[in-house]
Amino acid sequence: MFRMPAEWMPHERCWMIWPRRAEVWLERMAATKRAYAEVARTIARFEPVTMIASPDDLAEAKALCGEGIDLLGLEVDDSWARDSAPCFVHDGEELRAAAFQFNAWGGKYHPHDKDAAMGAALARHLGTALIAGGIVAEGGAISVDGQGTALTTESCLLNPNRNPGKSKAEVEAALKAALGLEKVIWLPGDLEETETDGHVDGIAVFAGPGRVIIEVPTDESLSYADALRANMEVLRDARDAQGRAFEIIELAATESHDAEGTGVCSNYVNFYIANGAVIAPSYGIAEDAVARGILAQAFPEREVVQVPVADIAIGGGGIHCITQQQPVVAKAHA
């Protein structure tokens, strides 16, 4: 059975995409590129990293990323590998690329045809088969435990801008078929988050079998406090594919850095689990240390490394959004 492994399972490498869409980053583009390079170099301490870049950006990416980062020239529109790159699945012997239809988060950006073709392009580069996801979806909308359970949100995948005319059951069936799932847990999500329409990787993510890290409000007056509470209520009552109730680890939200005009993505849940490490966001505020401590307790066997993300967050995402793991296929390395 082909299944998407959990993110904490061993990685062959991490894929990233060099920033490209000028209207997203505007005058911060140079700083954003430096921030992407820092994330890439940090992850490369723990696992190989390949930075995809448009051919005319390859020299710049190489200069800023340094010698330790592999480069691949492919035409791209935007820079969110979690969403335009495929989700990788395997059966223990063979790797496949599960590519959902990509419409730039409900048609928010144009053009996006090059990003829509990224799944197929990467599958060709790797010489692996492509699994058509059958629905409009993004990798950031899904978190899996590698044992048959996924978390996702209604506000995203059931949004009319993604899959109009498809029922919840139809969307769920497509997720199960593409990623080898047995159960999908639907959190309400966040309708007020207008960039991704409430991607789950900014709300709640698996941290281990039967363990979920979820964002909680620090201030009940925050505009999205009701949404966070609703997500928590569903998760408390849910059971995974193995019948387990969840151990829930709370990680506080923050809007403290919004005063500087950043904060489009302003949470600590959007981290990347690398081989032997957790690469987590920092915003230069007091809450950084608290978040680091919680993640260190949640992943005691991994080094927690925080990387500044303000120049990434202004584009609407964080560290998890700009990365996509390719799992090790154990028998291929036997």
Side-chain angles (χ1 to χ4, degrees), residues 167-185:
S167 68
K168 184 177 183 178
E170 289 173 322
V171 173
E172 182 170 313
L175 290 175
K176 288 179 176 178
L179 302 180
L181 302 171
E182 298 165 20
K183 184 167 186 177
V184 177
I185 297 172

Side-chain angles (χ1 to χ4, degrees), residues 213-289:
I213 296 179
I214 189 168
E215 186 176 38
V216 295
T218 54
D219 183 344
E220 294 300 320
S221 68
L222 293 177
S223 61
Y224 52 85
D226 287 344
L228 297 184
R229 283 193 297 271
N231 291 315
M232 176 68 85
E233 289 172 5
V234 171
L235 189 62
R236 281 175 176 158
D237 293 336
R239 299 293 182 271
D240 68 12
Q242 314 303 317
R244 295 174 295 212
F246 291 107
E247 175 191 350
I248 297 174
I249 301 168
E250 297 183 0
L251 191 54
T254 176
E255 286 188 342
S256 299
H257 60 296
D258 283 354
E260 296 182 359
T262 64
V264 175
C265 177
S266 57
N267 66 71
Y268 293 107
V269 176
N270 199 267
F271 54 82
Y272 177 74
I273 305 174
N275 291 340
V278 174
I279 314 303
S282 67
Y283 300 96
I285 55 178
E287 290 97 319
D288 289 350

